[in-house]
Amino acid sequence: MNMKKWLAATLMCSALVMGGCGGQGQSGEQKVDKVYRVAMNAEFAPFESLDAQNNVEGFDVDLMNAMAAAGNFKVEYKHQPWDSLFAALGNGDVDILASAITITDERKQSMSFTDPYYKITQVILVPQGKNIKNVDDLKKANKVGVITGQTGDFVISKMLGKDSAKIARFDTLPLVIKEMESGGLDAVVTDSAVVGNYLKHNANKGFTVVEAPDFTEENYGFAVRKNDEETLKMLNDSLKKVRESGEYEKIESKYFAK
């Protein structure tokens, strides 16, 4: 390449770098709008799952999209394993976690949560032919299925002992459900709304739900890095707008119609 062509190419590259996305600033430079990276484990329907084209969908996705519209910010989604979510947030690989995450005092030590956006409790899903009528019956069960690192795991670990051979841990909801359907579990303990969604689409399985007054109510929240007050305020303000506009109720009724 001769000198004239090299200079022309260099000037063109410089122009492209200066001309990113967004509107013009006062100095004539392009303003680049920040896109918030939202991570989730999309294997927890109806809150988050993958459609036939492997795009994320669900209550959390619709709610976050509505919040982005109300708060005038942009988001992009990433599906990844549950056990990698918190490290990804702490390392700065993502900006927000939206994955039906229960707000707990322990988690608050390493991350910040928005105002609660959904309330649930743990319930017991029992397959046909298994004699589980209450929480105490879980102590007599051969195998109780939970999802590793989720609240059901914490509850059963406290009840039976963290290293109990009666606890069968699985990485995702579909895996623990599949094991129960094949007869390998006496019960599964997980979030009430997820169990309700499963039964809605599998009424012919003959499974039943045992509600447990011993299990306390829980609240889901969107998580951001510890002390990321700017993002936290943005999310809380937009969540409030979505609630006040009535959009939250529309989204809720889509997924949790009585």
Side-chain angles (χ1 to χ4, degrees):
M1 181 183 292
N2 62 35
M3 184 61 69
K4 287 184 178 180
K5 288 183 179 180
W6 182 86
L7 286 172
T10 301
L11 289 171
M12 182 174 289
C13 289
S14 298
L16 289 173
V17 170
M18 292 296 291
C21 315
Q24 289 278 351
Q26 291 182 350
S27 64
E29 295 182 358
Q30 295 282 355
K31 177 183 177 183
V32 180
D33 293 330
K34 178 175 181 179
V35 178
Y36 291 87
R37 300 160 298 173
V38 182
M40 58 181 55
N41 175 236
E43 297 176 288
F44 205 63
F47 292 95
E48 42 269 329
S49 57
L50 297 175
D51 64 14
Q53 288 73 44
N54 285 326
N55 297 313
V56 295
E57 63 179 3
F59 178 79
D60 284 357
V61 177
D62 285 6
L63 178 56
M64 182 60 68
N65 286 340
M67 290 165 59
N72 195 30
F73 61 91
K74 298 178 182 179
V75 294
E76 62 180 21
Y77 297 99
K78 181 182 180 184
H79 161 57
Q80 60 188 72
W82 168 265
D83 60 6
S84 73
L85 290 176
F86 302 118
L89 182 66
N91 293 338
D93 296 330
V94 299
D95 305 302
I96 302 167
L97 300 183
S99 198
I101 300 173
T102 299
I103 302 171
T104 66
D105 290 338
E106 182 179 358
R107 287 172 177 162
K108 284 181 180 179
Q109 295 177 17
S110 57
M111 65 196 75
S112 295
F113 283 96
T114 62
D115 296 333
Y117 70 86
Y118 202 82
K119 183 178 293 185
I120 58 97
T121 187
Q122 298 298 301
V123 295
I124 307 167
L125 182 61
V126 183
Q128 199 169 21
K130 300 296 183 179
N131 189 29
I132 304 290
K133 304 293 184 184
N134 52 51
V135 172
D136 286 339
D137 286 340
L138 292 174
K139 299 174 183 177
K140 310 170 194 172
N142 292 318
K143 287 290 181 181
V144 179
V146 297
I147 304 170
T148 303
Q150 295 195 1
T151 314
D153 186 3
F154 302 153
V155 168
I156 296 303
S157 293
K158 185 176 180 179
M159 179 186 302
L160 302 179
K162 183 177 180 180
D163 299 322
S164 172
K166 292 186 175 185
I167 302 175
R169 295 182 173 89
F170 297 82
D171 290 336
T172 67
L173 180 70
L175 288 175
V176 70
I177 292 294
K178 183 178 180 180
E179 181 67 13
M180 183 179 65
E181 290 177 339
S182 66
L185 300 173
D186 295 332
V188 167
V189 176
T190 190
D191 299 19
S192 53
V194 173
V195 168
N197 181 72
Y198 172 79
L199 292 178
K200 178 181 176 181
H201 295 94
N202 297 275
N204 62 330
K205 300 284 187 180
F207 295 168
T208 57
V209 176
V210 176
E211 295 184 357
D214 312 63
F215 298 158
T216 59
E217 284 188 338
E218 304 167 11
N219 286 291
Y220 290 159
F222 299 117
V224 301
R225 275 183 290 282
K226 189 71 174 175
N227 300 321
D228 183 359
E229 298 299 332
E230 182 180 352
T231 304
L232 193 63
K233 184 179 187 305
M234 178 191 73
L235 293 177
N236 279 331
D237 288 347
S238 59
L239 177 58
K240 183 179 179 182
K241 290 177 182 177
V242 171
R243 287 189 182 278
E244 290 176 345
S245 69
E247 186 66 20
Y248 180 94
E249 292 181 359
K250 292 179 183 178
I251 298 171
E252 184 181 33
S253 64
K254 174 182 175 181
Y255 292 96
F256 307 107
K258 302 294 185 181

